[in-house]
Amino acid sequence: MHQLSSPTVRAEPIIWKEPSPVGDDPILIAGLAAGDPAALESLMAAYWVPLHRYATRLLKDRDIAQDLTQEAFLRAWERRAKLGSGSIRGFLYRVVHNLAIDEIRRRRVRSLWISSTSAGPTPEPGFAEQEGQDEETHRAIVRAIDSLPARRRKAFVLAYLHRLSYREIGGIMDVSPATIKNQIAAALAQLRELLRPHLNDMLDGSG
């Protein structure tokens, strides 16, 4: 199997910025189809960090998330001749999503096996959430998002943290864009209710 090296990651905290639509650039698509390594490098530069962050959020494990991210780009390269008919960004997120779900299922099987053959299960490695300017508010936001129903949470994370369109998210989750819109509306309503005390404190503090 080909080995891909991840783009250099800076030591300082990474501030999320929406990636440019380089993944659907016709010139890039043509370059990928022609087997141009520079086109793959451009795709990785645009989407490695957000894909790795998405996989890490699903799995709570940076190392496995990196393996899944690399696998997504390998599959994009192997299937480059067939990617012109859809969104490459959507394809990458769909691959990472499906690989993460498979990994979660494998973890459950391992956990059940360990539970049946030992005194107790081995805990999964943890992942420390990046602190925000207001640590308590940040923790409340993370808890609120994590408390959303699974499908609602996935739709919200893909839309608001990864800036995917309803159509792209629908392709990943295998539902219609209208369903995604409804899921996100419900997520926002639930988050507003859960975070109301913190929002009131912020307003009171600002006068």
Side-chain angles (χ1 to χ4, degrees):
M1 177 183 292
H2 297 290
Q3 291 295 320
L4 300 177
S5 59
S6 60
T8 301
V9 179
R10 298 172 298 175
E12 65 271 15
I14 297 172
I15 299 175
W16 166 254
K17 293 183 180 179
E18 181 177 0
S20 64
V22 63
D24 298 322
D25 185 331
I27 297 178
L28 180 71
I29 292 174
L32 284 172
D36 183 359
L40 178 62
E41 291 177 6
S42 296
L43 194 67
M44 292 175 65
Y47 293 115
W48 184 282
V49 170
L51 282 170
H52 181 261
R53 183 172 294 179
Y54 178 55
T56 299
R57 182 174 186 86
L58 291 176
L59 298 172
K60 314 301 183 190
D61 187 308
R62 288 178 178 270
D63 292 334
I64 296 179
Q66 179 160 319
D67 291 341
L68 267 58
T69 303
Q70 175 172 283
E71 179 64 23
F73 285 104
L74 282 172
R75 293 191 184 187
W77 180 250
E78 291 168 353
R79 304 176 190 181
R80 59 190 179 274
K82 301 179 181 180
L83 293 177
S85 58
S87 167
I88 296 180
R89 181 173 71 164
F91 172 85
L92 290 170
Y93 272 94
R94 186 164 57 251
V95 170
V96 168
H97 176 84
N98 291 338
L99 289 173
I101 294 302
D102 289 343
E103 173 62 24
I104 290 170
R105 288 170 178 163
R106 283 193 294 270
R107 286 182 180 182
R108 289 173 180 167
V109 171
R110 288 196 300 267
S111 180
L112 289 172
W113 184 84
I114 291 172
S115 297
S116 66
T117 57
S118 64
T122 301
E124 292 290 345
F127 173 71
E129 293 284 351
Q130 183 177 347
E131 293 182 355
Q133 293 181 346
D134 186 332
E135 185 175 349
E136 179 57 33
T137 299
H138 178 80
R139 286 199 298 264
I141 292 172
V142 171
R143 287 195 301 269
I145 294 174
D146 287 343
S147 72
L148 294 172
R151 293 179 68 81
R152 191 177 297 176
R153 181 175 65 250
K154 290 174 186 175
F156 175 84
V157 168
L158 287 170
Y160 279 86
L161 302 186
H162 295 273
R163 304 297 196 272
L164 269 66
S165 69
Y166 291 168
R167 184 176 298 277
E168 288 172 324
I169 300 171
I172 292 170
M173 298 178 62
D174 196 25
V175 296
S176 70
T179 298
I180 295 301
K181 181 178 180 180
N182 292 336
Q183 291 278 4
I184 291 174
L188 289 172
Q190 184 173 343
L191 290 173
R192 279 194 294 268
E193 186 63 29
L194 291 171
L195 296 172
R196 189 181 303 278
H198 295 276
L199 294 175
N200 290 338
D201 289 343
M202 291 169 64
L203 290 174
D204 292 341
S206 64

PDB file of all heavy atoms in Angstrom, residues 7 10 26 46 56 75 96 116 135 150 159 161 173 176 183-184 195:
ATOM      1  N   PRO A   7       0.440  16.519   5.973  1.00  0.00           N
ATOM      2  CA  PRO A   7       1.013  17.850   5.904  1.00  0.00           C
ATOM      3  C   PRO A   7       1.576  18.251   7.257  1.00  0.00           C
ATOM      4  O   PRO A   7       1.132  17.782   8.303  1.00  0.00           O
ATOM      5  CB  PRO A   7      -0.189  18.733   5.521  1.00  0.00           C
ATOM      6  CG  PRO A   7      -1.153  17.799   4.898  1.00  0.00           C
ATOM      7  CD  PRO A   7      -0.963  16.496   5.609  1.00  0.00           C
ATOM      8  N   ARG A  10       1.459  22.658  12.546  1.00  0.00           N
ATOM      9  CA  ARG A  10       2.114  23.654  13.373  1.00  0.00           C
ATOM     10  C   ARG A  10       1.908  23.359  14.848  1.00  0.00           C
ATOM     11  O   ARG A  10       0.922  22.779  15.253  1.00  0.00           O
ATOM     12  CB  ARG A  10       1.567  25.045  13.048  1.00  0.00           C
ATOM     13  CG  ARG A  10       1.821  25.480  11.608  1.00  0.00           C
ATOM     14  CD  ARG A  10       1.098  26.767  11.309  1.00  0.00           C
ATOM     15  NE  ARG A  10      -0.342  26.566  11.443  1.00  0.00           N
ATOM     16  CZ  ARG A  10      -1.218  27.550  11.326  1.00  0.00           C
ATOM     17  NH1 ARG A  10      -0.827  28.770  11.108  1.00  0.00           N
ATOM     18  NH2 ARG A  10      -2.504  27.283  11.445  1.00  0.00           N
ATOM     19  N   PRO A  26     -12.437  22.160 -11.176  1.00  0.00           N
ATOM     20  CA  PRO A  26     -12.317  21.330 -12.391  1.00  0.00           C
ATOM     21  C   PRO A  26     -10.876  21.040 -12.779  1.00  0.00           C
ATOM     22  O   PRO A  26     -10.568  19.950 -13.267  1.00  0.00           O
ATOM     23  CB  PRO A  26     -13.022  22.180 -13.461  1.00  0.00           C
ATOM     24  CG  PRO A  26     -13.969  23.045 -12.683  1.00  0.00           C
ATOM     25  CD  PRO A  26     -13.268  23.345 -11.391  1.00  0.00           C
ATOM     26  N   ALA A  46      -5.667  21.043   1.546  1.00  0.00           N
ATOM     27  CA  ALA A  46      -6.946  21.690   1.838  1.00  0.00           C
ATOM     28  C   ALA A  46      -7.755  20.951   2.883  1.00  0.00           C
ATOM     29  O   ALA A  46      -8.431  21.574   3.709  1.00  0.00           O
ATOM     30  CB  ALA A  46      -7.760  21.834   0.544  1.00  0.00           C
ATOM     31  N   THR A  56     -11.111  12.457  14.601  1.00  0.00           N
ATOM     32  CA  THR A  56     -10.739  12.490  16.011  1.00  0.00           C
ATOM     33  C   THR A  56     -11.958  12.698  16.889  1.00  0.00           C
ATOM     34  O   THR A  56     -12.096  12.084  17.951  1.00  0.00           O
ATOM     35  CB  THR A  56      -9.711  13.598  16.277  1.00  0.00           C
ATOM     36  OG1 THR A  56      -8.530  13.351  15.518  1.00  0.00           O
ATOM     37  CG2 THR A  56      -9.326  13.652  17.753  1.00  0.00           C
ATOM     38  N   ARG A  75      -7.860   6.230  -0.969  1.00  0.00           N
ATOM     39  CA  ARG A  75      -9.011   5.780  -1.758  1.00  0.00           C
ATOM     40  C   ARG A  75      -9.381   6.808  -2.821  1.00  0.00           C
ATOM     41  O   ARG A  75      -9.779   6.435  -3.934  1.00  0.00           O
ATOM     42  CB  ARG A  75     -10.195   5.500  -0.834  1.00  0.00           C
ATOM     43  CG  ARG A  75      -9.963   4.320   0.079  1.00  0.00           C
ATOM     44  CD  ARG A  75     -11.224   3.892   0.793  1.00  0.00           C
ATOM     45  NE  ARG A  75     -10.961   2.811   1.725  1.00  0.00           N
ATOM     46  CZ  ARG A  75     -11.895   2.150   2.384  1.00  0.00           C
ATOM     47  NH1 ARG A  75     -13.181   2.459   2.204  1.00  0.00           N
ATOM     48  NH2 ARG A  75     -11.579   1.182   3.229  1.00  0.00           N
ATOM     49  N   VAL A  96     -14.213   8.776   5.505  1.00  0.00           N
ATOM     50  CA  VAL A  96     -13.783   8.876   6.899  1.00  0.00           C
ATOM     51  C   VAL A  96     -14.915   8.474   7.843  1.00  0.00           C
ATOM     52  O   VAL A  96     -14.707   7.753   8.827  1.00  0.00           O
ATOM     53  CB  VAL A  96     -13.296  10.307   7.211  1.00  0.00           C
ATOM     54  CG1 VAL A  96     -13.127  10.503   8.718  1.00  0.00           C
ATOM     55  CG2 VAL A  96     -11.979  10.579   6.506  1.00  0.00           C
ATOM     56  N   SER A 116     -15.872 -10.582  28.569  1.00  0.00           N
ATOM     57  CA  SER A 116     -16.240 -11.985  28.802  1.00  0.00           C
ATOM     58  C   SER A 116     -15.060 -12.857  29.204  1.00  0.00           C
ATOM     59  O   SER A 116     -15.239 -13.981  29.646  1.00  0.00           O
ATOM     60  CB  SER A 116     -16.886 -12.562  27.535  1.00  0.00           C
ATOM     61  OG  SER A 116     -15.940 -12.614  26.478  1.00  0.00           O
ATOM     62  N   GLU A 135     -13.175  28.538  29.602  1.00  0.00           N
ATOM     63  CA  GLU A 135     -13.109  27.079  29.722  1.00  0.00           C
ATOM     64  C   GLU A 135     -14.448  26.475  30.125  1.00  0.00           C
ATOM     65  O   GLU A 135     -14.862  25.448  29.577  1.00  0.00           O
ATOM     66  CB  GLU A 135     -12.039  26.705  30.743  1.00  0.00           C
ATOM     67  CG  GLU A 135     -11.798  25.213  30.864  1.00  0.00           C
ATOM     68  CD  GLU A 135     -10.648  24.901  31.805  1.00  0.00           C
ATOM     69  OE1 GLU A 135      -9.925  25.849  32.177  1.00  0.00           O
ATOM     70  OE2 GLU A 135     -10.487  23.728  32.154  1.00  0.00           O
ATOM     71  N   ALA A 150     -27.609  10.864  18.209  1.00  0.00           N
ATOM     72  CA  ALA A 150     -26.461  10.567  17.340  1.00  0.00           C
ATOM     73  C   ALA A 150     -26.575  11.177  15.948  1.00  0.00           C
ATOM     74  O   ALA A 150     -25.671  11.874  15.481  1.00  0.00           O
ATOM     75  CB  ALA A 150     -26.275   9.049  17.239  1.00  0.00           C
ATOM     76  N   ALA A 159     -22.184  20.214   9.505  1.00  0.00           N
ATOM     77  CA  ALA A 159     -22.635  21.489   8.948  1.00  0.00           C
ATOM     78  C   ALA A 159     -21.907  22.675   9.569  1.00  0.00           C
ATOM     79  O   ALA A 159     -21.436  23.562   8.849  1.00  0.00           O
ATOM     80  CB  ALA A 159     -24.141  21.643   9.153  1.00  0.00           C
ATOM     81  N   LEU A 161     -19.250  22.666  12.068  1.00  0.00           N
ATOM     82  CA  LEU A 161     -17.833  22.581  12.370  1.00  0.00           C
ATOM     83  C   LEU A 161     -17.000  22.267  11.136  1.00  0.00           C
ATOM     84  O   LEU A 161     -15.819  22.561  11.100  1.00  0.00           O
ATOM     85  CB  LEU A 161     -17.583  21.525  13.446  1.00  0.00           C
ATOM     86  CG  LEU A 161     -18.310  21.743  14.779  1.00  0.00           C
ATOM     87  CD1 LEU A 161     -17.864  20.718  15.813  1.00  0.00           C
ATOM     88  CD2 LEU A 161     -18.090  23.154  15.303  1.00  0.00           C
ATOM     89  N   MET A 173     -24.697  10.649   5.149  1.00  0.00           N
ATOM     90  CA  MET A 173     -25.594   9.959   6.083  1.00  0.00           C
ATOM     91  C   MET A 173     -26.700   9.182   5.373  1.00  0.00           C
ATOM     92  O   MET A 173     -27.545   8.566   6.011  1.00  0.00           O
ATOM     93  CB  MET A 173     -26.195  10.982   7.050  1.00  0.00           C
ATOM     94  CG  MET A 173     -25.148  11.677   7.911  1.00  0.00           C
ATOM     95  SD  MET A 173     -25.824  12.940   9.038  1.00  0.00           S
ATOM     96  CE  MET A 173     -26.894  11.929  10.066  1.00  0.00           C
ATOM     97  N   SER A 176     -32.050  12.510   2.760  1.00  0.00           N
ATOM     98  CA  SER A 176     -32.284  13.651   1.880  1.00  0.00           C
ATOM     99  C   SER A 176     -31.774  14.942   2.517  1.00  0.00           C
ATOM    100  O   SER A 176     -31.694  15.055   3.749  1.00  0.00           O
ATOM    101  CB  SER A 176     -33.777  13.786   1.579  1.00  0.00           C
ATOM    102  OG  SER A 176     -34.475  14.204   2.751  1.00  0.00           O
ATOM    103  N   GLN A 183     -32.939  17.999  10.859  1.00  0.00           N
ATOM    104  CA  GLN A 183     -32.089  17.537  11.950  1.00  0.00           C
ATOM    105  C   GLN A 183     -31.295  18.705  12.546  1.00  0.00           C
ATOM    106  O   GLN A 183     -31.160  18.820  13.774  1.00  0.00           O
ATOM    107  CB  GLN A 183     -31.120  16.466  11.442  1.00  0.00           C
ATOM    108  CG  GLN A 183     -31.762  15.156  11.059  1.00  0.00           C
ATOM    109  CD  GLN A 183     -32.023  14.248  12.254  1.00  0.00           C
ATOM    110  OE1 GLN A 183     -31.787  14.616  13.389  1.00  0.00           O
ATOM    111  NE2 GLN A 183     -32.524  13.052  11.985  1.00  0.00           N
ATOM    112  N   ILE A 184     -30.765  19.567  11.693  1.00  0.00           N
ATOM    113  CA  ILE A 184     -29.959  20.682  12.169  1.00  0.00           C
ATOM    114  C   ILE A 184     -30.830  21.713  12.891  1.00  0.00           C
ATOM    115  O   ILE A 184     -30.433  22.270  13.926  1.00  0.00           O
ATOM    116  CB  ILE A 184     -29.197  21.320  10.994  1.00  0.00           C
ATOM    117  CG1 ILE A 184     -28.118  20.343  10.502  1.00  0.00           C
ATOM    118  CG2 ILE A 184     -28.563  22.652  11.415  1.00  0.00           C
ATOM    119  CD1 ILE A 184     -27.396  20.795   9.264  1.00  0.00           C
ATOM    120  N   LEU A 195     -28.061  25.490  26.514  1.00  0.00           N
ATOM    121  CA  LEU A 195     -27.046  26.504  26.798  1.00  0.00           C
ATOM    122  C   LEU A 195     -27.647  27.824  27.258  1.00  0.00           C
ATOM    123  O   LEU A 195     -26.915  28.796  27.438  1.00  0.00           O
ATOM    124  CB  LEU A 195     -26.183  26.737  25.547  1.00  0.00           C
ATOM    125  CG  LEU A 195     -25.359  25.525  25.093  1.00  0.00           C
ATOM    126  CD1 LEU A 195     -24.706  25.809  23.742  1.00  0.00           C
ATOM    127  CD2 LEU A 195     -24.295  25.183  26.125  1.00  0.00           C
TER     128      LEU A 195
END
